[in-house]
Amino acid sequence: MNMHSPVTLSALMLSTVLAACSSLSPSPAARSSATQGQDVMQPIAVPQIALPPARSDAPASTKGKPMQFADAVPVSVRPETNGLWSAWDEYNDRWRVDLVSRGARSLNLHFDRFLLPQGAILRLYAPAEPQRGIQLTAADNKPHGAYWSPEIAGDTLRLDLILPRDYDRKIELSIANVNVAW
């Protein structure tokens, strides 16, 4: 998050809620009652996009050439066509998807369209370590409309987009490449 940019009150409140959660939980609509009247969390399958596994035959650096640490895997991942939408709370919806490349040291993303509206929050993190992820907002939008994420350690990268319901699940967000580090 860019600390020098103003953040709307709703985004600040939502980011506080997200930071307090070690893992994001589904809305009460995703829960069911157990026979003794207690709420029981029902597992929600996270849609996965399988990428080629990380290479084990990574070439050594050669003098005079840029050091290569990853393979760029072309993808077309968008909230309209991939992942799972669900109600997050009374005012927001959540889009979630996992990108998986077995054996990868880290993954990072190239968004060819990246325009988060005010109030939206996009989290990128490894499911095993959600506290080490990054959080993006409209303050991270660039004039050229693209975004390159930092590396997220591990072979699974989860995206959670919290979008105010006013946007009717329409957003300019598209991943063109996943860099799979070996």
Side-chain angles (χ1 to χ4, degrees), residues 1 7 37 43 60 125 136 142 147 179:
M1 177 187 241
V7 177
Y125 61 97
L136 305 167
K142 307 291 182 218
Y147 182 83
N179 295 315

Side-chain angles (χ1 to χ4, degrees), residues 2-181:
N2 184 343
M3 295 306 214
H4 302 291
S5 300
V7 177
T8 64
L9 180 59
S10 65
L12 182 59
M13 290 172 49
L14 189 54
S15 67
T16 303
V17 170
L18 289 175
C21 298
S22 63
S23 68
L24 299 175
S25 340
S27 69
R31 300 177 187 193
S32 71
S33 297
T35 55
Q36 296 178 344
Q38 298 174 345
D39 275 352
V40 175
M41 190 71 65
Q42 295 298 312
I44 296 176
V46 177
Q48 290 187 353
I49 296 174
L51 303 167
R55 288 196 290 166
S56 59
D57 63 338
S61 293
T62 57
K63 194 171 185 171
K65 291 188 177 181
M67 187 173 122
Q68 185 178 0
F69 71 96
D71 289 322
V73 177
V75 296
S76 179
V77 177
R78 298 186 322 270
E80 306 85 59
T81 57
N82 307 99
L84 177 70
W85 280 100
S86 61
W88 174 252
D89 61 21
E90 186 177 348
Y91 306 104
N92 300 286
D93 287 331
R94 177 185 67 189
W95 174 70
R96 176 178 271 184
V97 69
D98 283 354
L99 302 170
V100 181
S101 176
R102 297 293 171 220
R105 293 175 58 118
S106 67
L107 301 171
N108 75 296
L109 307 176
H110 165 221
F111 292 87
D112 59 344
R113 286 299 305 145
F114 186 91
L115 184 60
L116 294 177
Q118 289 296 323
I121 296 173
L122 178 62
R123 289 194 63 227
L124 309 175
Y125 61 97
E129 296 183 289
Q131 71 281 4
R132 294 190 62 190
I134 65 165
Q135 182 170 293
L136 305 167
T137 66
D140 297 294
N141 294 338
K142 307 291 182 218
H144 49 70
Y147 182 83
W148 286 262
S149 78
E151 294 176 64
I152 303 294
D155 64 3
T156 302
L157 191 157
R158 178 167 289 166
L159 289 86
D160 276 326
L161 170 67
I162 306 300
L163 184 67
R165 195 153 294 130
D166 295 345
Y167 292 102
D168 199 29
R169 299 182 177 181
K170 291 180 175 55
I171 185 167
E172 290 189 52
L173 193 66
S174 174
I175 303 169
N177 291 290
V178 179
N179 295 315
V180 177

